Structure formats: C-alpha cells, structure tokens
Amino acid sequence: QVQLVESGGGLVQAGGSLRLSCAASGSRFTIKTMGWYRQAPGKQRELVAIITSGGSTNYADSVMDRFTISRDNAKNTVYLQMNSLKPEDTAVYFCKADVLRLDIVFGSWGQGTQVTVSS
C-alpha cells in the first residue's frame, strides 16, 4: 500500500498564505502525477493543481497566479504554496497521487487537511 499524509492546513485571514505538504510512503512504488484537490461544504471535489513527474503543471483558473504546486521527487512529496488567500478558498484540501506499483497504476488519496480563510 501507499499512504499519503497531508499537513499545513489551518486558519488564516484573507490575503494571507499557507503551505500544504503531502508525503507518500510505502514500498516498491513510483509516483507519477501528483495533485491537490479541494472540496467545500455542499460542493463537489474540484481540481486545484497537478504536477507531473517531469514538473509540468496545470492549475484551476480560480487559483492561477496565486497558488504554486511543486514536488520533491526524492522525498515523494508534493507542496502547494497558497498566497493571497480568499474566503472562497475555504475547503478541505486533498492530495492525490497516481502510483505505479507492480506494473499497475492506481490513484491514492490523502485524508485531507482543512483550510479556512476568514474575511
């Protein structure tokens, strides 16, 4: 199995910043694309940002130019730097990794971390 553990959520005022981290652990696996998703109360889970193993990135329009996704392949860790936070960014943020293990690719999710932005 591959486990993803997120950290870095919390409460911040509008205009502030937070940095989320997500570390993958397990045995005999390779991480492919990693990404961050979020789910606000009463809404569907949505993509925030993804990054491939080669470093290519893609962002939701709503976070473009405010959030930055990055990764450390040696540590199997993905980060999300969130700047200029807005109340509408309030959500549970989930890390997702596409994992290659024993010639099978599957998606693995973290448990989520709460981000609350006050106005």
Side-chain angles (χ1 to χ4, degrees):
Q1 289 185 344
V2 176
Q3 292 185 327
L4 301 178
V5 179
E6 300 122 332
S7 61
L11 173 64
V12 64
Q13 288 188 332
S17 298
L18 283 174
R19 188 189 193 214
L20 306 182
S21 300
C22 172
S25 62
S27 62
R28 291 184 292 176
F29 67 95
T30 300
I31 301 294
K32 298 295 187 179
T33 297
M34 302 187 81
W36 289 95
Y37 294 72
R38 66 186 181 186
Q39 187 167 17
K43 295 187 177 181
Q44 290 187 335
R45 191 172 299 189
E46 63 177 2
L47 172 69
V48 176
I50 57 172
I51 183 168
T52 68
S53 56
S56 297
T57 59
N58 193 22
Y59 295 91
D61 289 343
S62 59
V63 306
M64 190 77 69
D65 298 325
R66 298 189 298 122
F67 291 10
T68 302
I69 189 170
S70 61
R71 64 189 287 172
D72 184 334
N73 289 332
K75 296 181 179 180
N76 287 318
T77 300
V78 64
Y79 306 96
L80 186 68
Q81 178 66 43
M82 305 185 293
N83 298 329
S84 302
L85 282 160
K86 304 175 180 179
E88 51 263 43
D89 294 318
T90 295
V92 178
Y93 283 70
F94 297 90
C95 170
K96 180 180 183 284
D98 293 333
V99 180
L100 171 63
R101 187 172 184 273
L102 301 177
D103 296 326
I104 297 173
V105 177
F106 60 93
S108 182
W109 290 88
Q111 81 286 353
T113 184
Q114 177 70 46
V115 172
T116 302
V117 184
S118 63
S119 57

